[in-house]
Amino acid sequence: MIEGLVPARTVSVHTATRPIGDPASALFPEEAAAVAGAVRKRQEEFATVRFCARTALARLGHAPAPLLTNRRGAPQWPAGVVGSMTHCDGYRAAAVARASAALSVGIDAEPNAPLPHGVLGKIALPAERERLGRLSALRPAVHWARLLFSAKESVFKVWYPLTGRELDFTEAEVTIEPGDGTFSARLLVPGPVVDGRRLELFGGRWAAGDGLVVSAIVLPAPEPGGTSGR
């Protein structure tokens, strides 16, 4: 699903719908050590999403290599590459792009199911909660609160590599368009400055189906002699 949300000429995406057989056999020693103390489910997620990432990276000409995380848990990509990973029950995906083509990439997949009790109040602004009611009346089969959560996860995954700073759920206001599968995220804190321009708005795409809601944001790199798009 996520592969349909990103520009194919810019971003390479690989997905998996089931865990690989033995997670330890698919990991580099450094990666295996990083999750040695985790439960098997976490090991499977960690290994399968890295299988996805290495498959996507191979399409960009990169040989298999360890993909470790920083202190925040964000994946550390090879030099000259930007990307994002996501996993939820029954779905894993990774998206990568050359840094010459994209500033940052953020993807997220979630089950198309209600958010756990108490989560919505922590992630949604009053205006967002008001819009959720209207969206639910239009398309009740989509769990819009979960999609809002997914979109905000994608926002953070785009934001963090550009800033190295945390972004609270309430520091970006997301507006989801139900008709054309797009959404926008307006930053409520100063955005990153890229090529002399402060980014204040991220645009993304979303989809729902196969028991999932998914979202993606790709920020294009500045064109030579120009500025990056929002």
Side-chain angles (χ1 to χ4, degrees):
M1 292 176 65
I2 285 175
E3 55 267 39
L5 303 183
V6 301
R9 292 185 179 181
T10 301
V11 183
S12 172
V13 177
H14 188 80
T15 63
T17 56
R18 62 179 59 86
I20 56 177
D22 180 3
S25 68
L27 294 175
F28 283 83
E30 307 96 308
E31 294 171 330
V35 289
V39 299
R40 183 174 178 84
K41 182 176 184 292
R42 170 58 180 152
Q43 292 177 347
E44 289 176 341
E45 292 170 343
F46 189 92
T48 309
V49 80
R50 276 157 180 75
F51 167 78
C52 292
R54 281 189 266 275
T55 302
L57 285 166
R59 297 172 184 158
L60 300 184
H62 287 266
L67 296 171
L68 301 176
T69 58
N70 66 9
R71 61 175 179 80
R72 177 60 177 71
Q76 301 299 282
W77 300 102
V81 171
V82 296
S84 182
M85 300 179 184
T86 187
H87 55 77
C88 66
D89 285 345
Y91 189 80
R92 320 277 190 261
V96 297
R98 292 184 176 88
S100 59
L103 289 173
S104 191
V105 176
I107 63 171
D108 187 74
E110 301 288 334
N112 186 18
L115 280 173
H117 178 71
V119 172
L120 181 62
K122 297 177 181 178
I123 71 157
L125 297 162
E128 292 171 332
R129 292 197 293 270
E130 181 181 347
R131 288 193 290 268
L132 289 177
R134 295 197 295 269
L135 291 168
S136 296
L138 286 172
R139 290 180 61 181
V142 177
H143 287 275
W144 295 99
R146 183 74 76 155
L147 179 58
L148 176 67
F149 178 85
S150 176
K152 291 202 171 190
E153 284 288 296
S154 289
V155 169
F156 178 80
K157 292 176 182 181
V158 165
W159 159 277
Y160 185 77
L162 295 175
T163 65
R165 302 196 308 271
E166 299 293 319
L167 182 71
D168 191 81
F169 282 107
T170 59
E171 291 180 327
E173 182 178 356
V174 170
T175 301
I176 301 170
E177 298 297 337
D180 62 2
T182 64
F183 67 91
S184 62
R186 180 171 62 91
L187 297 174
L188 304 180
V189 294
V193 176
V194 177
D195 199 36
R197 179 184 182 186
R198 186 173 298 281
L199 303 182
E200 301 174 340
L201 190 71
F202 296 162
R205 299 183 65 198
W206 67 270
D210 299 328
L212 301 169
V213 289
V214 298
S215 62
I217 301 172
V218 178
L219 294 184
E223 297 181 2
T227 58
S228 62
R230 288 187 175 187

